[in-house]
Amino acid sequence: MELIDITLIWVGLVGLAVIMYVVLDGFDLGVGILYPLLPNEQARDHMMRSVAPVWDGNETWLVLGGAGLLAAFPAIYSIFLPALYIGVFLMLAGLIFRGVAFEFRFKSQRYRHWWNIAFAGGSTVAAAAQGFVVGAYVQGFEVEGFTYVGGAFDWFTPFTLFTALSLVIGYALLGATWGIMKTEGETQKWLYGATPWILGATAVCLFVVSIWTPLTQPTVMERWLEEWQRLWVMPFIGLVSTVLVMWGVVKRSDFMPFFSAIGLFLSAYAGILASKLPYAVPPQITFREAASAPESQLFLLLGILFMLPIVLGYTAWTYWVFRGKVQHSGGYH
């Protein structure tokens, strides 16, 4: 057991589950965020059809990451939940609203506009709540020992408000580029026109967050300027990804904008982790301090290593079965 760093393996597994959720559920939340802006009801039908076969499978990664965090790092749960009760509740409420809208919008004609609002509102609230959580993690928590001693609204600050706005816009970029890949005709044409504006807003948000974070936290400034200067490759990857998204739009590529937008998200995610690791609960509790007993981690690891290939397998199989453009007619069930 001493030859294997089980805690480090769990950090990798939880990190994988989080980024898989951010990317996969990010684009289908982004579709909902774009909903009120789409030009007509036909475009809304196309966009919902594009995510209907995969959205619930995407959320498997949220369950996997949350369960892994609870099992391997219970101290994180004991601090995060009291600190983020309201944000977690808003996220779950938003996910429920949009999930119900998938089912009822398809059947309803008379009240379809209300289900459109539920889908768009639920998607936006869920994305914003996740942005608040990310911002709260970056700005840190007030703890004594392993107990949260801050207030119920410490997560609501100008910085977290901006990170929430940034994530909503970023998810909209993923949704728009996903729509370019999955639709055609007037819907795709509208998305090609909207994507540069959303990309510009995303780039501005990432730039402001990148400047704001080290200015308010000297430890982050020190890490980027003095300790790990090689980390600057991440903003470079983000810049290249931004250019490739725009290049793909100009060239009317179906695939390049979406996969380049994923590259932009991966660079931002890596930048956040590099700024905060090894702290699980910034600014003082590391992942090793928050970890459960090695025996418990090893027992749970056997289970997760059995489940992970299954989750990866059915995720890949689902995307393969529903590959290609969405159809212009018919339902999405």
Side-chain angles (χ1 to χ4, degrees):
M1 186 183 301
E2 294 178 352
L3 297 176
I4 303 174
D5 191 338
I6 302 176
T7 299
L8 189 60
I9 293 174
W10 270 107
V11 171
L13 289 173
V14 172
L16 172 66
V18 171
I19 191 57
M20 288 293 288
Y21 172 75
V22 167
V23 170
L24 295 182
D25 210 33
F27 74 74
D28 69 54
L29 286 172
V31 167
I33 293 166
L34 290 173
Y35 233 51
L37 305 176
L38 293 171
N40 51 50
E41 201 65 14
Q42 185 182 51
R44 296 186 184 94
D45 286 343
H46 291 166
M47 292 295 277
M48 183 167 272
R49 286 190 195 117
S50 73
V51 296
V54 297
W55 73 272
D56 44 0
N58 293 342
E59 292 180 356
T60 302
W61 292 99
L62 178 64
V63 177
L64 192 64
L69 201 63
L70 174 62
F73 306 100
I76 298 177
Y77 247 81
S78 67
I79 295 170
F80 276 21
L81 280 185
L84 302 169
Y85 268 136
I86 298 174
V88 172
F89 168 77
L90 290 174
M91 183 185 73
L92 295 178
L95 293 177
I96 291 171
F97 264 87
R98 69 189 303 273
V100 174
F102 268 107
E103 307 300 329
F104 282 81
R105 182 184 179 278
F106 175 63
K107 292 292 185 182
S108 177
Q109 294 296 326
R110 184 177 180 183
Y111 299 108
R112 174 167 285 196
H113 62 288
W114 286 111
W115 294 116
N116 287 345
I117 294 173
F119 184 60
S123 301
T124 305
V125 168
Q130 292 172 23
F132 276 116
V133 171
V134 172
Y137 173 73
V138 171
Q139 73 179 8
F141 300 89
E142 189 175 347
V143 298
E144 289 182 2
F146 287 91
T147 303
Y148 177 68
V149 294
F153 290 95
D154 282 7
W155 55 272
F156 190 82
T157 65
F159 178 76
T160 61
L161 185 62
F162 191 80
T163 56
L165 174 66
S166 301
L167 196 61
V168 169
I169 295 173
Y171 279 173
L173 176 65
L174 284 176
T177 53
W178 166 263
I180 287 174
M181 189 171 65
K182 297 295 290 184
T183 65
E184 54 191 353
E186 291 299 315
T187 303
Q188 188 189 51
K189 181 180 178 181
W190 185 90
L191 291 168
Y192 273 128
T195 295
W197 297 97
I198 305 171
L199 176 64
T202 303
V204 170
C205 288
L206 286 175
F207 179 77
V208 172
V209 170
S210 300
I211 299 297
W212 197 341
T213 301
L215 286 179
T216 57
Q217 299 185 28
T219 54
V220 176
M221 175 80 81
E222 182 179 349
R223 173 164 295 181
W224 279 81
L225 294 183
E226 299 179 10
E227 294 182 11
W228 295 357
Q229 294 186 9
R230 283 177 292 184
L231 296 178
W232 286 94
V233 70
M234 297 172 193
F236 178 74
I237 293 174
L239 179 61
V240 171
S241 299
T242 302
V243 172
L244 289 178
V245 173
M246 194 63 214
W247 181 257
V249 171
V250 171
K251 292 296 182 182
R252 291 297 191 261
S253 167
D254 283 354
F255 298 97
M256 186 185 295
F258 179 63
F259 290 104
S260 301
I262 290 177
L264 182 58
F265 261 74
L266 291 178
S267 67
Y269 180 69
I272 292 173
L273 291 182
S275 299
K276 290 298 177 182
L277 284 176
Y279 294 102
V281 184
Q284 52 188 301
I285 299 176
T286 67
F287 276 98
R288 296 195 185 280
E289 292 169 334
S292 57
E295 293 78 8
S296 300
Q297 286 190 332
L298 180 60
F299 176 76
L300 295 164
L301 184 62
L302 298 177
I304 201 74
L305 291 181
F306 173 75
M307 289 300 301
L308 189 59
I310 296 175
V311 176
L312 285 170
Y314 79 66
T315 299
W317 181 74
T318 302
Y319 279 85
W320 173 256
V321 169
F322 294 98
R323 66 189 182 280
K325 302 286 186 180
V326 295
Q327 300 300 313
H328 289 281
S329 60
Y332 42 78
H333 287 76

